[in-house]
Amino acid sequence: MLSFRDKRINLFNLISYIVFFLFFFLLSLVIFFISFNAGNKGISIQLAGGGDDGTFYYNEVMRILSGDKSNLTSVYPLILSVFPKLFGVSDYMVVYYRLFNVLGVLLLLLISVKTAKYTISNEIGKQTNHLRLGVLFSCFYMFYISFVIVAVFSIYRDVWIYFFYILSTYCGLKLLRKFSFIYFFLLIISLISLYLFREYAAFSYVLAFIIFTINKSRFFAGNKFRTLILAVISLGLYFTFFLNYKVPILDMSLSDALNYRLYFIEKFTSGSQLGINLTEGTYLSFLKNYSLSFFYNLLSPLPWQIRNIQYLVIFLCESLPLILILIFLLKKKELIKGNKELEFLIIHAITWMALISITNDNIGAGTRLRAITYILIVIVFFVVRFVEREKIARKD
């Protein structure tokens, strides 16, 4: 039987979900009408210069509907094309796409709460009704500026990539504790969906799982230094001997990825480019520049990179809180050490960041691409904070 306090907390969580949904639902409609009145069919509004993937997806949908040859880069346009087939083609059909993405945002919130709650319950027992996770995650997503922009300012596919990655992570956590055919099947479905939305996202998950398995093996267990040395040596061998080897899932080699990055460095000379070239020099120089790219992709924009109001807001609302969270987690590393669930989440966060740091040299793109890492780190932060408080309370 729940206490009055627990019932009140659950009510707060429910209210936070309602406020969360209304926030993204109404904001998305407002953006739609602003864009529609501006002659952009409700697809997007631009806060800064540059192209917009939402327009590309809309055009692909129109090609699919007309029977023309389309240039499908993911399953997303195919999914969007279902709505006009069901409800008819109209000037307002982009509303369906926006509502679809709001659904994705809501599902992401719920699976984030579910993941944190499951990890906490494994540490401190099943009595987690008093935890205000719904309120905390609702506030986190509503004040996560880059996430809000991706979710409602255009019809991007990103929210579904985030959702399926966190869902895959949750299934992985369940399977770590106890094998279940249900969660194994759900994991396979989630990974296939992730692959269809973005190939490298599924590749990142598989790679992180392999790294986690190696890290938990008898030789490496409890010795992070050995794991780091193995990673450096493996990357060195790959860089030296397999630079042009095309990874099957991605159909891209490391050389292709580095040249892709170089193309944008040379084409765009704006202040948003980091200007870190990974194609020059030896493996040691690559390692130095790659480490720098990882650092900036994770934390940018930093004070010396702020050149406009948008970067200032992102620094105050994202970069600075992330820095403080990482400092907190470093101080509480003893609570993380040996906890395979938290290590699983952290390895996924690091692996995702490691992959996007190879190809991305743009600060603005980095704030959008690092979202999965940010979400996983925040989940770990909430778990560690709750576990710490619970253990202190029980000791008292």
Side-chain angles (χ1 to χ4, degrees):
M1 181 71 69
L2 294 178
S3 67
F4 173 75
R5 180 177 177 273
D6 287 335
K7 290 180 180 178
R8 188 179 63 180
I9 297 304
N10 285 340
L11 179 61
F12 285 154
N13 280 333
L14 178 60
I15 293 173
S16 72
Y17 293 146
I18 295 172
V19 171
F20 175 87
F21 172 77
L22 291 176
F23 173 81
F24 281 98
F25 174 74
L26 295 176
L27 182 58
S28 188
L29 288 184
V30 168
I31 298 299
F32 168 80
F33 285 113
I34 292 175
S35 173
F36 190 85
N37 291 330
N40 198 28
K41 302 175 183 177
I43 298 171
S44 65
I45 62 172
Q46 291 290 316
L47 293 181
D52 176 58
D53 290 344
T55 302
F56 169 78
Y57 298 138
Y58 179 85
N59 291 335
E60 288 302 300
V61 171
M62 298 310 294
R63 290 191 184 96
I64 293 171
L65 295 176
S66 64
D68 293 340
K69 184 178 180 181
S70 57
N71 181 28
L72 292 177
T73 57
S74 73
V75 74
Y76 187 55
L78 284 175
I79 295 174
L80 296 185
S81 68
V82 172
F83 294 99
K85 289 178 180 178
L86 290 176
F87 305 108
V89 178
S90 71
D91 293 337
Y92 296 96
M93 68 181 188
V94 175
V95 171
Y96 303 135
Y97 308 156
R98 291 187 162 276
L99 293 178
F100 177 63
N101 278 355
V102 170
L103 172 63
V105 171
L106 183 60
L107 291 175
L108 175 61
L109 169 67
L110 296 177
I111 196 61
S112 299
V113 173
K114 191 80 172 174
T115 301
K117 200 166 189 176
Y118 177 76
T119 309
I120 292 170
S121 67
N122 283 339
E123 275 294 297
I124 60 178
K126 300 297 182 182
Q127 295 178 355
T128 56
N129 292 310
H130 63 289
L131 304 178
R132 295 180 174 88
L133 289 171
V135 177
L136 289 173
F137 275 104
S138 295
C139 291
F140 163 64
Y141 282 118
M142 286 191 293
F143 287 96
Y144 184 2
I145 304 300
S146 295
F147 175 79
V148 173
I149 292 173
V150 166
V152 301
F153 277 70
S154 186
I155 51 172
Y156 296 126
R157 61 181 168 174
D158 297 56
V159 292
W160 290 102
I161 297 174
Y162 305 158
F163 165 69
F164 282 116
Y165 199 101
I166 304 303
L167 175 60
S168 299
T169 306
Y170 173 71
C171 293
L173 288 173
K174 296 287 287 188
L175 292 171
L176 282 179
R177 180 64 58 178
K178 182 181 179 181
F179 181 81
S180 165
F181 282 107
I182 294 176
Y183 283 104
F184 179 74
F185 178 74
L186 183 58
L187 174 61
I188 297 301
I189 297 300
S190 181
L191 285 177
I192 291 174
S193 301
L194 193 60
Y195 176 81
L196 294 175
F197 271 94
R198 192 67 171 173
E199 294 92 338
Y200 73 74
F203 176 79
S204 175
Y205 186 92
V206 173
L207 180 61
F209 191 87
I210 293 172
I211 294 172
F212 173 80
T213 302
I214 294 173
N215 184 60
K216 299 305 291 183
S217 64
R218 183 176 299 179
F219 182 75
F220 293 99
N223 195 322
K224 307 306 178 192
F225 181 73
R226 289 180 182 175
T227 305
L228 179 61
I229 292 299
L230 176 64
V232 172
I233 293 175
S234 300
L235 183 59
L237 292 173
Y238 189 85
F239 181 85
T240 304
F241 299 106
F242 301 97
L243 188 63
N244 295 309
Y245 172 74
K246 290 187 180 293
V247 179
I249 297 178
L250 303 177
D251 193 29
M252 176 183 287
S253 66
L254 179 58
S255 177
D256 294 333
L258 298 182
N259 288 325
Y260 174 85
R261 179 193 185 104
L262 181 62
Y263 168 78
F264 284 95
I265 292 176
E266 295 175 343
K267 183 176 180 180
F268 302 102
T269 57
S270 63
S272 61
Q273 292 297 132
L274 295 171
I276 302 174
N277 188 355
L278 302 181
T279 62
E280 297 178 346
T282 63
Y283 173 61
L284 290 179
S285 62
F286 165 82
L287 201 60
K288 181 192 72 173
N289 291 332
Y290 177 58
S291 300
L292 196 62
S293 175
F294 185 97
F295 173 79
Y296 279 124
N297 271 288
L298 178 63
L299 299 176
S300 291
L302 293 166
W304 56 88
Q305 297 171 317
I306 297 174
R307 297 178 178 86
N308 52 51
I309 296 296
Q310 184 179 352
Y311 278 9
L312 176 62
V313 172
I314 293 176
F315 168 73
L316 294 175
C317 296
E318 296 176 28
S319 298
L320 185 58
L322 182 57
I323 291 170
L324 295 176
I325 288 173
L326 290 174
I327 293 173
F328 171 83
L329 292 179
L330 284 173
K331 289 182 178 179
K332 305 298 178 181
K333 60 181 181 294
E334 291 303 318
L335 290 175
I336 299 174
K337 186 178 180 181
N339 185 313
K340 63 181 181 180
E341 282 92 0
L342 293 179
E343 290 181 353
F344 185 75
L345 296 173
I346 290 172
I347 287 175
H348 274 281
I350 294 174
T351 303
W352 177 270
M353 206 68 239
L355 287 178
I356 69 170
S357 297
I358 293 175
T359 57
N360 183 62
D361 189 72
N362 186 275
I363 296 174
T367 61
R368 173 180 167 184
L369 292 170
R370 73 183 177 202
I372 286 178
T373 291
Y374 202 164
I375 293 168
L376 291 171
I377 289 175
V378 167
I379 291 174
V380 172
F381 168 69
F382 285 153
V383 171
V384 171
R385 184 66 180 142
F386 275 118
V387 170
E388 179 191 41
R389 291 179 62 184
E390 185 70 17
K391 287 185 176 180
I392 291 174
R394 290 183 178 184
K395 187 178 295 185
D396 291 340

